[in-house]
Amino acid sequence: MKRVLSGIQPSGPLHLGNYAAAIRQFIDMQADHEMYIFVASYHALTTVRDPKVLRDNVRQVVIDCLAFGIDPQRTNFYLQQDVPKVTELAWLLGCMCPKHLMDKATSFKDKLAKGLSASIGLYTYPILQAADILSVDPDVVPVGEDQRQHVEITRDLAEKFNAAYGPVFKIPDLKIREGSGLMPGVDGQKMSKSYGNAISPFLEEKALKKVIMKITTDSKGVDEAKDPETCTVFQIFRGLAGVNDPRTAELAERYRKGGMGYGVAKQALLELILNHFGPARKRRVELMNDPGYVEQVLRQGAAAANAKASDVTARARKAVGL
Ligand code: TRP
């Protein structure tokens, strides 16, 4: 069974885009992979300075992931902060990391351009990510396209380390998720919390309906034939139901025939979301009322990750002469 590791940035409650791009794939992989999925709380500290916000964001992401269906029986689910060995590993890797490797990291430049402060933590973010990854000896790291460079840096650092000290790290494969870009937000841009265009499947029904009714469309009248491919409502529907789902084909057909207004398409999307996430919505309420259970899940996940990280770190320490 292949071992998989991936991390999730705790940037507040999860939305449909996060689900479609990442969480759904983790849930599918649980059936036949040994899973390590963690919430990147140390990484969040590179951008979040308010302790209450950080705590709340981490808690929200944990609850949402479990509600969506990350199953603690099949996935080691933990907080990065509960595996402090990754910071030691990051130091060992950092001492092997030529500065120019960080200078060419695009995410740092992008974040500076957005006005974030150029802290050392932000600058060395990829080294900590390499440590997260290498700490459990994974075979595969599934990430979105935006994380490609970080995983390449990880492989590069591991190879440099191994070349200098012998075979300490397993070199993991990069797996880019397909279809990550398929889910637009209500304004038609990529769905993102920072664009304010996200749809949360956990909103109260009335609030959810309000958000969906806000989705931008063109001004074609009810009777006119419509193009599903250029319609944000349809794209979100397809992103969730799936390209090959008969409901997607049926909705596309109704667009092309004419006689269906956008209000009807939006109603269909609302029903799809309520239907698809019915069990998740229920589970989320239960989880919010059972912090003891959530705590225990995280402890169990951290125990598994710590056992692996201790092995790997011991190997690395010995290799360097500590
Ligand atoms: N940088 C990733 C993101 O922004 C989160 C992350 C941290 C991660 N460590 C990781 C992803 C290790 C994969 C593997 O989404």
Side-chain angles (χ1 to χ4, degrees), residues 19 27 63-72 202 276-290 293-294:
Y19 173 76
I27 292 168
I63 287 180
D64 288 0
C65 282
L66 293 172
F68 277 137
I70 286 192
D71 175 0
F202 296 123
H276 188 98
F277 294 106
R281 290 165 63 89
K282 210 171 135 245
R283 205 153 47 224
R284 186 164 179 276
V285 175
E286 290 163 9
L287 288 161
M288 285 196 298
N289 291 323
D290 198 352
Y293 168 76
V294 174

Side-chain angles (χ1 to χ4, degrees), residues 221-297:
V222 173
D223 291 335
E224 285 179 83
K226 299 175 181 64
D227 180 6
E229 294 305 322
T230 59
C231 178
T232 304
V233 181
F234 178 77
Q235 285 165 5
I236 298 173
F237 189 101
R238 180 176 57 190
L240 184 58
V243 179
N244 299 319
D245 192 278
R247 292 170 298 181
T248 304
E250 191 197 320
L251 186 63
E253 181 55 28
R254 292 178 75 190
Y255 268 79
R256 293 198 190 94
K257 254 194 359 225
M260 177 189 70
Y262 287 117
V264 173
K266 288 175 176 178
Q267 187 62 35
L269 176 60
L270 174 65
E271 277 160 26
L272 176 73
I273 293 174
L274 289 173
N275 202 346
H276 188 98
F277 294 106
R281 290 165 63 89
K282 210 171 135 245
R283 205 153 47 224
R284 186 164 179 276
V285 175
E286 290 163 9
L287 288 161
M288 285 196 298
N289 291 323
D290 198 352
Y293 168 76
V294 174
E295 183 68 25
Q296 178 241 314
V297 164

Side-chain angles (χ1 to χ4, degrees), residues 19-301:
Y19 173 76
I23 314 290
R24 179 159 57 186
Q25 189 185 31
F26 300 153
I27 292 168
D28 291 345
M29 291 181 108
Q30 289 180 137
D32 50 3
H33 294 81
E34 182 189 346
M35 304 292 291
Y36 287 80
I37 303 292
F38 71 97
V39 176
S41 49
Y42 284 146
H43 278 115
L45 210 47
T46 61
T47 52
V48 181
R49 288 285 152 77
D50 181 331
K52 183 170 180 319
V53 171
L54 182 61
R55 247 190 318 269
D56 285 352
N57 284 355
V58 168
R59 183 176 155 271
Q60 290 272 9
V61 168
V62 166
I63 287 180
D64 288 0
C65 282
L66 293 172
F68 277 137
I70 286 192
D71 175 0
Q73 303 299 326
R74 296 158 182 261
T75 291
N76 298 298
F77 184 57
Y78 57 99
L79 305 182
Q80 189 182 28
Q81 74 210 52
D82 291 337
V83 187
K85 280 263 190 292
V86 297
T87 58
E88 180 174 356
L89 212 46
W91 181 256
L92 301 183
L93 290 164
C95 291
M96 282 303 296
C97 179
K99 180 170 170 290
H100 69 79
L101 206 56
M102 293 298 102
D103 289 335
K104 71 172 200 205
T106 53
S107 77
F108 181 67
K109 289 179 230 166
D110 292 349
K111 286 171 182 168
L112 290 200
K114 278 196 206 143
L116 293 179
S117 75
S119 71
I120 295 298
L122 195 65
Y123 182 64
T124 59
Y125 184 115
I127 300 178
L128 181 60
Q129 183 156 347
D132 298 329
I133 294 173
L134 298 173
S135 72
V136 307
D137 286 328
D139 299 289
V140 190
V141 184
V143 288
E145 183 58 43
D146 64 326
Q147 296 298 312
R148 175 192 289 277
Q149 193 184 35
H150 286 156
V151 180
E152 282 167 355
I153 290 173
T154 301
R155 289 168 50 93
D156 202 357
L157 282 177
E159 276 162 7
K160 280 190 166 51
F161 194 101
N162 287 354
Y165 293 114
V168 170
F169 295 117
K170 178 150 137 194
I171 314 293
D173 288 333
L174 163 69
K175 179 168 188 257
I176 298 291
R177 288 190 284 262
E178 286 157 31
S180 311
L182 283 181
M183 184 70 82
V186 296
D187 57 358
Q189 287 195 73
K190 179 181 178 237
M191 189 181 292
S192 161
K193 185 165 180 266
S194 58
Y195 297 159
N197 65 359
I199 300 174
S200 163
F202 296 123
L203 288 174
E204 292 287 329
E205 190 170 332
K206 255 174 95 178
L208 183 59
K209 181 164 182 169
K210 224 172 123 187
V211 174
I212 288 170
M213 293 302 155
K214 275 203 321 222
I215 299 173
T216 324
T217 61
D218 60 31
S219 53
K220 287 209 170 79
V222 173
D223 291 335
E224 285 179 83
K226 299 175 181 64
D227 180 6
E229 294 305 322
T230 59
C231 178
T232 304
V233 181
F234 178 77
Q235 285 165 5
I236 298 173
F237 189 101
R238 180 176 57 190
L240 184 58
V243 179
N244 299 319
D245 192 278
R247 292 170 298 181
T248 304
E250 191 197 320
L251 186 63
E253 181 55 28
R254 292 178 75 190
Y255 268 79
R256 293 198 190 94
K257 254 194 359 225
M260 177 189 70
Y262 287 117
V264 173
K266 288 175 176 178
Q267 187 62 35
L269 176 60
L270 174 65
E271 277 160 26
L272 176 73
I273 293 174
L274 289 173
N275 202 346
H276 188 98
F277 294 106
R281 290 165 63 89
K282 210 171 135 245
R283 205 153 47 224
R284 186 164 179 276
V285 175
E286 290 163 9
L287 288 161
M288 285 196 298
N289 291 323
D290 198 352
Y293 168 76
V294 174
E295 183 68 25
Q296 178 241 314
V297 164
L298 294 174
R299 260 206 309 270
Q300 175 192 315

